[in-house]
């Protein structure tokens, strides 16, 4: 059975560490990737870690995940609040999906309170900083292990 998990990041997350550090912290996306790789290794998972500012690339990765990945961790960033297309792509994916937000979106502007992706996600982590990613990976590992075939 596949132990491959896609970790997908949406727009502007390439600026993590430089962008609004009072909201998103000082860790860079490379730091997050390194943390995810450590957690994946200890959970016996393999990861593909991607970021894009383009909606279609994220959709294409979700389609690729349909063929080869056992789970998806996704921070869709601003596409969370706008993208029916990402929701539809995730709805065509059968494995566990965990949605991650570094900030507590519910403590912020009202437009961040609605997530299209949450209509599909099996779990949502918000406001735990970049630790949310590694917690999400641990959850995916658990869901894969307990999956009834
Ligand atoms: C975010 C929250 C979104 O509202 C925002 O557009 C982002 C990042 C987060 O990780 O807290 O770009 O997904």
């Amino acid at each position: 059975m596949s132990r491959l998990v896609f970790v997908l990041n949406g727009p502007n997350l390439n600026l993590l560490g430089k962008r609004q550090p009072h909201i998103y912290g000082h860790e860079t996306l490379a730091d997050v990737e390194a943390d995810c790789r450590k957690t994946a290794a200890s959970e016996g998972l393999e990861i593909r870690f991607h970021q894009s500012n383009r909606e279609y690339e994220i959709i294409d990765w979700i389609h690729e995940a349909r063929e080869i990945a056992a789970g998806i961790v996704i921070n869709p960033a601003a596409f969370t609040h706008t993208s029916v297309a990402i929701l539809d792509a995730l709805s065509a994916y059968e494995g566990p999906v965990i949605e991650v937000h570094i900030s507590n979106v519910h403590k912020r502007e009202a437009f961040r309170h609605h997530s299209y992706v949450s209509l599909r996600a099996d779990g949502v982590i918000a406001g735990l900083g970049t630790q949310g990613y590694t917690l999400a990976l641990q959850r995916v590992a658990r869901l894969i292990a307990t999956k009834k075939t």
Side-chain angles (χ1 to χ4, degrees), residues 11 13 19 24 75-78 80-81 100-103 105 108 112:
L13 289 168
R19 164 200 190 205
Y24 299 113
N75 182 349
T80 308
H81 318 298
V100 173
H101 300 286
I102 297 164
S103 65
V105 283
R108 301 181 64 193
R112 294 184 205 276

Side-chain angles (χ1 to χ4, degrees), residues 2 34 99 146:
S2 167
E99 176 182 350
T146 57

Side-chain angles (χ1 to χ4, degrees), residues 14-59:
N14 52 312
L15 297 179
L16 203 62
K18 297 176 207 150
R19 164 200 190 205
Q20 298 177 286
H22 57 291
I23 297 176
Y24 299 113
H26 292 278
E27 263 204 304
T28 66
L29 198 62
D31 295 330
V32 175
E33 179 171 358
D35 289 346
C36 285
R37 292 203 177 280
K38 267 187 225 150
T39 300
S42 68
E43 295 289 344
L45 300 174
E46 214 192 301
I47 58 167
R48 298 242 174 113
F49 192 97
H50 295 298
Q51 186 274 333
S52 183
N53 296 324
R54 299 170 189 85
E55 194 174 12
Y56 77 88
E57 277 191 312
I58 294 167
I59 293 164

Side-chain angles (χ1 to χ4, degrees), residues 57-102:
E57 277 191 312
I58 294 167
I59 293 164
D60 285 350
W61 286 323
I62 296 167
H63 291 177
E64 192 187 346
R66 269 168 60 81
E67 308 300 323
I68 56 175
I72 296 177
V73 171
I74 182 165
N75 182 349
F79 292 149
T80 308
H81 318 298
T82 61
S83 182
V84 175
I86 289 177
L87 168 63
D88 285 351
L90 289 169
S91 298
Y93 175 75
E94 285 183 1
V97 175
I98 307 294
E99 176 182 350
V100 173
H101 300 286
I102 297 164

Side-chain angles (χ1 to χ4, degrees), residues 76-77 79-83 87 99 101 105-106 111-121 124:
F79 292 149
T80 308
H81 318 298
T82 61
S83 182
L87 168 63
E99 176 182 350
H101 300 286
V105 283
H106 300 290
F111 67 84
R112 294 184 205 276
H113 299 176
H114 178 261
S115 165
Y116 284 103
V117 170
S118 293
L119 290 166
R120 164 62 181 88
V124 182

